[in-house]
Amino acid sequence: MNQIDPGTPTWLAARNDRTAFRLLLEHGPLTRSRLGELTGLSKPTASQMLARLERVGLIRPVGERSGGRGPNAITYGVRTDRITGVAISILDRAIQAVVVDAVDHDHPIVQIATDGHERSPEDDVRAAVRAACAEAGIDESTVSRVVIGVQAAFFVDGDELSFTDTLPGWPEIGSRARIEQELGLQVTIDNDVNLATMAERSSGAAQQAASFALFWIGDGLGVGLDLGGVVHRGASGGAGEIGYLAVPRTAAPLAPAANDFTDLLGGPAVARLIGGGDDETLAEVLPRLAADDDALSALADRVILAVNPLLAILDPSMIVLGGPTGTAGGARLAELVAERVDPAAHPKLAMRTSGTGAQPVLLGARQQLVEQIRDHLEADISLAT
């Protein structure tokens, strides 16, 4: 792309066009007059910006708006059919996916069962893209990128996966490269809890926190570490893999057979704590958790054992309890865990429940994709001048 010299008419036009494009993303469809009001520029200048953006295919007329006397004003909106992406969450026995566009429309989430299927990264992503596009009525050819959340550690620089129990058929090295080569997509792979942590920072309980740790409690465990707005991944992408950490001796009275924190707080352990039968899964028993104060109290006794090391090492301003179990426990679980924190050692700590809803991993992936798509489209604006 050619560089535009600052201060030249071409540079000023490109800057104005980017401003107009961002306003259309923020406010939705706008008329020439309304765009002029928002930018403080004249109607002729607003018309020129709209004409340039339409010429390179970034916007198009989407309707008309009555302004009283005279002809109706045309409204212009950002095109969502030019570039799309798909957010994907690879679970233990299923894949969830959703189409993402430049204006972040709510498209339907699809779920594909993977039990008994031969697996490979390219086949998983191909199936996810195909199903998400079919459900949303989107042309697959518009999909240029995917963001994939995996229940594993991912080292970006080496394209390396570790702790891959839930990814049968995915190689430890080269999964991203295989997907890109086979499907022709731009691929971002990240740990699922890291994506959920990004969503917590941008739209959840930790928007104002100086630093926080998202403690994900579900069938498996994980910790997302946000230090001043930046997710800490560690030297090899394995930061936060707390499930493999040996439990302290003080856990013996609570769960004598527990060797690591997954044994203490993973799906089967919590299901038993709530009184689930041998054939009941965590998802089946979790709806009973919020109404069982004894189970919540016993769960808080276990959660604090995992939280204490986070407090000692990181001293964050907030702990967010997330994942299926953390969310199901709600504010009461957060309150009970907070009661077990030493107030003298951590007087400013806040304990919260996740505020990102039922699909935090997909939400984090969606947010990344929206930024990627918008950046790509904005880079084309210089072509309009």
Side-chain angles (χ1 to χ4, degrees), residues 190 193-199 201 212 223-234:
D190 207 343
V193 180
N194 285 342
L195 289 172
T197 301
M198 297 176 201
R201 164 63 73 183
F212 74 96
V223 176
L225 308 172
D226 179 299
L227 306 178
V230 178
V231 174
H232 176 68
R233 293 177 170 81

PDB file of all heavy atoms in Angstrom, residues 190 193-199 201 212 223-234:
ATOM      1  N   ASP A 190      -6.386 -19.373  19.983  1.00  0.00           N
ATOM      2  CA  ASP A 190      -6.080 -18.928  21.336  1.00  0.00           C
ATOM      3  C   ASP A 190      -6.739 -19.879  22.320  1.00  0.00           C
ATOM      4  O   ASP A 190      -7.714 -20.574  21.997  1.00  0.00           O
ATOM      5  CB  ASP A 190      -6.569 -17.497  21.571  1.00  0.00           C
ATOM      6  CG  ASP A 190      -5.763 -16.758  22.642  1.00  0.00           C
ATOM      7  OD1 ASP A 190      -5.055 -17.431  23.424  1.00  0.00           O
ATOM      8  OD2 ASP A 190      -5.851 -15.525  22.705  1.00  0.00           O
ATOM      9  N   VAL A 193     -10.010 -19.870  27.610  1.00  0.00           N
ATOM     10  CA  VAL A 193     -10.158 -19.003  28.784  1.00  0.00           C
ATOM     11  C   VAL A 193      -9.538 -17.627  28.524  1.00  0.00           C
ATOM     12  O   VAL A 193     -10.030 -16.618  29.028  1.00  0.00           O
ATOM     13  CB  VAL A 193      -9.550 -19.676  30.033  1.00  0.00           C
ATOM     14  CG1 VAL A 193      -9.708 -18.781  31.266  1.00  0.00           C
ATOM     15  CG2 VAL A 193     -10.221 -21.020  30.285  1.00  0.00           C
ATOM     16  N   ASN A 194      -8.476 -17.579  27.726  1.00  0.00           N
ATOM     17  CA  ASN A 194      -7.915 -16.279  27.356  1.00  0.00           C
ATOM     18  C   ASN A 194      -8.931 -15.449  26.574  1.00  0.00           C
ATOM     19  O   ASN A 194      -9.066 -14.240  26.784  1.00  0.00           O
ATOM     20  CB  ASN A 194      -6.643 -16.449  26.519  1.00  0.00           C
ATOM     21  CG  ASN A 194      -5.448 -16.883  27.342  1.00  0.00           C
ATOM     22  OD1 ASN A 194      -5.446 -16.742  28.564  1.00  0.00           O
ATOM     23  ND2 ASN A 194      -4.438 -17.412  26.691  1.00  0.00           N
ATOM     24  N   LEU A 195      -9.658 -16.085  25.654  1.00  0.00           N
ATOM     25  CA  LEU A 195     -10.685 -15.374  24.901  1.00  0.00           C
ATOM     26  C   LEU A 195     -11.801 -14.898  25.823  1.00  0.00           C
ATOM     27  O   LEU A 195     -12.304 -13.777  25.688  1.00  0.00           O
ATOM     28  CB  LEU A 195     -11.246 -16.267  23.799  1.00  0.00           C
ATOM     29  CG  LEU A 195     -10.313 -16.550  22.622  1.00  0.00           C
ATOM     30  CD1 LEU A 195     -10.919 -17.595  21.700  1.00  0.00           C
ATOM     31  CD2 LEU A 195     -10.014 -15.279  21.849  1.00  0.00           C
ATOM     32  N   ALA A 196     -12.192 -15.754  26.769  1.00  0.00           N
ATOM     33  CA  ALA A 196     -13.219 -15.355  27.732  1.00  0.00           C
ATOM     34  C   ALA A 196     -12.736 -14.197  28.602  1.00  0.00           C
ATOM     35  O   ALA A 196     -13.517 -13.316  28.986  1.00  0.00           O
ATOM     36  CB  ALA A 196     -13.607 -16.547  28.603  1.00  0.00           C
ATOM     37  N   THR A 197     -11.446 -14.181  28.896  1.00  0.00           N
ATOM     38  CA  THR A 197     -10.866 -13.080  29.680  1.00  0.00           C
ATOM     39  C   THR A 197     -10.936 -11.768  28.917  1.00  0.00           C
ATOM     40  O   THR A 197     -11.249 -10.711  29.487  1.00  0.00           O
ATOM     41  CB  THR A 197      -9.410 -13.419  30.042  1.00  0.00           C
ATOM     42  OG1 THR A 197      -9.378 -14.639  30.784  1.00  0.00           O
ATOM     43  CG2 THR A 197      -8.774 -12.311  30.872  1.00  0.00           C
ATOM     44  N   MET A 198     -10.657 -11.806  27.624  1.00  0.00           N
ATOM     45  CA  MET A 198     -10.781 -10.598  26.804  1.00  0.00           C
ATOM     46  C   MET A 198     -12.213 -10.078  26.798  1.00  0.00           C
ATOM     47  O   MET A 198     -12.449  -8.865  26.868  1.00  0.00           O
ATOM     48  CB  MET A 198     -10.330 -10.892  25.376  1.00  0.00           C
ATOM     49  CG  MET A 198      -8.873 -11.278  25.236  1.00  0.00           C
ATOM     50  SD  MET A 198      -8.509 -11.718  23.512  1.00  0.00           S
ATOM     51  CE  MET A 198      -7.029 -12.684  23.745  1.00  0.00           C
ATOM     52  N   ALA A 199     -13.162 -11.002  26.716  1.00  0.00           N
ATOM     53  CA  ALA A 199     -14.569 -10.592  26.750  1.00  0.00           C
ATOM     54  C   ALA A 199     -14.929  -9.990  28.105  1.00  0.00           C
ATOM     55  O   ALA A 199     -15.698  -9.024  28.179  1.00  0.00           O
ATOM     56  CB  ALA A 199     -15.465 -11.799  26.451  1.00  0.00           C
ATOM     57  N   ARG A 201     -12.976  -8.330  30.059  1.00  0.00           N
ATOM     58  CA  ARG A 201     -12.390  -6.986  30.123  1.00  0.00           C
ATOM     59  C   ARG A 201     -13.222  -5.989  29.320  1.00  0.00           C
ATOM     60  O   ARG A 201     -13.459  -4.866  29.763  1.00  0.00           O
ATOM     61  CB  ARG A 201     -10.955  -7.027  29.580  1.00  0.00           C
ATOM     62  CG  ARG A 201     -10.342  -5.679  29.222  1.00  0.00           C
ATOM     63  CD  ARG A 201     -10.194  -4.750  30.414  1.00  0.00           C
ATOM     64  NE  ARG A 201      -9.116  -5.152  31.300  1.00  0.00           N
ATOM     65  CZ  ARG A 201      -8.825  -4.523  32.435  1.00  0.00           C
ATOM     66  NH1 ARG A 201      -9.545  -3.470  32.818  1.00  0.00           N
ATOM     67  NH2 ARG A 201      -7.845  -4.942  33.221  1.00  0.00           N
ATOM     68  N   PHE A 212      -6.978  -8.328  36.757  1.00  0.00           N
ATOM     69  CA  PHE A 212      -7.888  -9.348  37.291  1.00  0.00           C
ATOM     70  C   PHE A 212      -7.489 -10.727  36.797  1.00  0.00           C
ATOM     71  O   PHE A 212      -6.747 -10.870  35.811  1.00  0.00           O
ATOM     72  CB  PHE A 212      -9.349  -9.052  36.922  1.00  0.00           C
ATOM     73  CG  PHE A 212      -9.702  -9.312  35.474  1.00  0.00           C
ATOM     74  CD1 PHE A 212     -10.286 -10.511  35.084  1.00  0.00           C
ATOM     75  CD2 PHE A 212      -9.466  -8.351  34.507  1.00  0.00           C
ATOM     76  CE1 PHE A 212     -10.624 -10.746  33.761  1.00  0.00           C
ATOM     77  CE2 PHE A 212      -9.790  -8.566  33.176  1.00  0.00           C
ATOM     78  CZ  PHE A 212     -10.379  -9.773  32.804  1.00  0.00           C
ATOM     79  N   VAL A 223      -7.196 -20.443  34.172  1.00  0.00           N
ATOM     80  CA  VAL A 223      -7.142 -19.079  34.686  1.00  0.00           C
ATOM     81  C   VAL A 223      -6.691 -18.161  33.557  1.00  0.00           C
ATOM     82  O   VAL A 223      -5.684 -18.420  32.896  1.00  0.00           O
ATOM     83  CB  VAL A 223      -6.177 -18.951  35.880  1.00  0.00           C
ATOM     84  CG1 VAL A 223      -6.069 -17.488  36.325  1.00  0.00           C
ATOM     85  CG2 VAL A 223      -6.630 -19.821  37.043  1.00  0.00           C
ATOM     86  N   GLY A 224      -7.460 -17.098  33.339  1.00  0.00           N
ATOM     87  CA  GLY A 224      -7.059 -16.046  32.420  1.00  0.00           C
ATOM     88  C   GLY A 224      -6.495 -14.887  33.218  1.00  0.00           C
ATOM     89  O   GLY A 224      -7.108 -14.436  34.185  1.00  0.00           O
ATOM     90  N   LEU A 225      -5.330 -14.408  32.839  1.00  0.00           N
ATOM     91  CA  LEU A 225      -4.621 -13.377  33.602  1.00  0.00           C
ATOM     92  C   LEU A 225      -4.578 -12.089  32.800  1.00  0.00           C
ATOM     93  O   LEU A 225      -3.919 -12.017  31.759  1.00  0.00           O
ATOM     94  CB  LEU A 225      -3.206 -13.842  33.929  1.00  0.00           C
ATOM     95  CG  LEU A 225      -3.089 -15.221  34.598  1.00  0.00           C
ATOM     96  CD1 LEU A 225      -1.635 -15.649  34.679  1.00  0.00           C
ATOM     97  CD2 LEU A 225      -3.726 -15.184  35.972  1.00  0.00           C
ATOM     98  N   ASP A 226      -5.279 -11.078  33.269  1.00  0.00           N
ATOM     99  CA  ASP A 226      -5.285  -9.766  32.627  1.00  0.00           C
ATOM    100  C   ASP A 226      -4.497  -8.812  33.503  1.00  0.00           C
ATOM    101  O   ASP A 226      -4.907  -8.496  34.619  1.00  0.00           O
ATOM    102  CB  ASP A 226      -6.722  -9.275  32.450  1.00  0.00           C
ATOM    103  CG  ASP A 226      -6.802  -7.894  31.813  1.00  0.00           C
ATOM    104  OD1 ASP A 226      -6.271  -6.939  32.417  1.00  0.00           O
ATOM    105  OD2 ASP A 226      -7.415  -7.762  30.746  1.00  0.00           O
ATOM    106  N   LEU A 227      -3.364  -8.359  32.999  1.00  0.00           N
ATOM    107  CA  LEU A 227      -2.497  -7.446  33.741  1.00  0.00           C
ATOM    108  C   LEU A 227      -2.505  -6.097  33.046  1.00  0.00           C
ATOM    109  O   LEU A 227      -1.870  -5.922  32.008  1.00  0.00           O
ATOM    110  CB  LEU A 227      -1.069  -8.015  33.818  1.00  0.00           C
ATOM    111  CG  LEU A 227      -0.953  -9.443  34.379  1.00  0.00           C
ATOM    112  CD1 LEU A 227       0.498  -9.906  34.362  1.00  0.00           C
ATOM    113  CD2 LEU A 227      -1.526  -9.518  35.787  1.00  0.00           C
ATOM    114  N   GLY A 228      -3.288  -5.174  33.571  1.00  0.00           N
ATOM    115  CA  GLY A 228      -3.370  -3.851  32.990  1.00  0.00           C
ATOM    116  C   GLY A 228      -3.955  -3.821  31.598  1.00  0.00           C
ATOM    117  O   GLY A 228      -3.578  -2.991  30.774  1.00  0.00           O
ATOM    118  N   GLY A 229      -4.867  -4.729  31.305  1.00  0.00           N
ATOM    119  CA  GLY A 229      -5.495  -4.764  29.990  1.00  0.00           C
ATOM    120  C   GLY A 229      -4.829  -5.670  28.989  1.00  0.00           C
ATOM    121  O   GLY A 229      -5.277  -5.763  27.845  1.00  0.00           O
ATOM    122  N   VAL A 230      -3.761  -6.349  29.377  1.00  0.00           N
ATOM    123  CA  VAL A 230      -3.044  -7.267  28.484  1.00  0.00           C
ATOM    124  C   VAL A 230      -3.127  -8.677  29.058  1.00  0.00           C
ATOM    125  O   VAL A 230      -2.813  -8.897  30.232  1.00  0.00           O
ATOM    126  CB  VAL A 230      -1.568  -6.857  28.325  1.00  0.00           C
ATOM    127  CG1 VAL A 230      -0.824  -7.846  27.447  1.00  0.00           C
ATOM    128  CG2 VAL A 230      -1.467  -5.451  27.750  1.00  0.00           C
ATOM    129  N   VAL A 231      -3.557  -9.631  28.230  1.00  0.00           N
ATOM    130  CA  VAL A 231      -3.630 -11.028  28.675  1.00  0.00           C
ATOM    131  C   VAL A 231      -2.231 -11.619  28.727  1.00  0.00           C
ATOM    132  O   VAL A 231      -1.487 -11.573  27.737  1.00  0.00           O
ATOM    133  CB  VAL A 231      -4.528 -11.852  27.743  1.00  0.00           C
ATOM    134  CG1 VAL A 231      -4.486 -13.330  28.128  1.00  0.00           C
ATOM    135  CG2 VAL A 231      -5.964 -11.344  27.809  1.00  0.00           C
ATOM    136  N   HIS A 232      -1.878 -12.164  29.894  1.00  0.00           N
ATOM    137  CA  HIS A 232      -0.560 -12.779  30.067  1.00  0.00           C
ATOM    138  C   HIS A 232      -0.650 -14.249  29.684  1.00  0.00           C
ATOM    139  O   HIS A 232      -1.406 -15.015  30.280  1.00  0.00           O
ATOM    140  CB  HIS A 232      -0.117 -12.642  31.526  1.00  0.00           C
ATOM    141  CG  HIS A 232       1.182 -13.324  31.819  1.00  0.00           C
ATOM    142  ND1 HIS A 232       2.386 -12.886  31.314  1.00  0.00           N
ATOM    143  CD2 HIS A 232       1.463 -14.432  32.561  1.00  0.00           C
ATOM    144  CE1 HIS A 232       3.352 -13.690  31.731  1.00  0.00           C
ATOM    145  NE2 HIS A 232       2.815 -14.631  32.478  1.00  0.00           N
ATOM    146  N   ARG A 233       0.132 -14.652  28.684  1.00  0.00           N
ATOM    147  CA  ARG A 233       0.083 -16.023  28.179  1.00  0.00           C
ATOM    148  C   ARG A 233       1.272 -16.875  28.619  1.00  0.00           C
ATOM    149  O   ARG A 233       1.219 -18.090  28.500  1.00  0.00           O
ATOM    150  CB  ARG A 233       0.007 -16.012  26.654  1.00  0.00           C
ATOM    151  CG  ARG A 233      -1.310 -15.444  26.127  1.00  0.00           C
ATOM    152  CD  ARG A 233      -1.305 -15.384  24.608  1.00  0.00           C
ATOM    153  NE  ARG A 233      -2.623 -15.061  24.081  1.00  0.00           N
ATOM    154  CZ  ARG A 233      -3.119 -13.837  24.023  1.00  0.00           C
ATOM    155  NH1 ARG A 233      -2.388 -12.822  24.455  1.00  0.00           N
ATOM    156  NH2 ARG A 233      -4.324 -13.620  23.542  1.00  0.00           N
ATOM    157  N   GLY A 234       2.336 -16.264  29.091  1.00  0.00           N
ATOM    158  CA  GLY A 234       3.501 -17.023  29.501  1.00  0.00           C
ATOM    159  C   GLY A 234       4.464 -17.249  28.354  1.00  0.00           C
ATOM    160  O   GLY A 234       4.173 -16.962  27.193  1.00  0.00           O
TER     161      GLY A 234
END
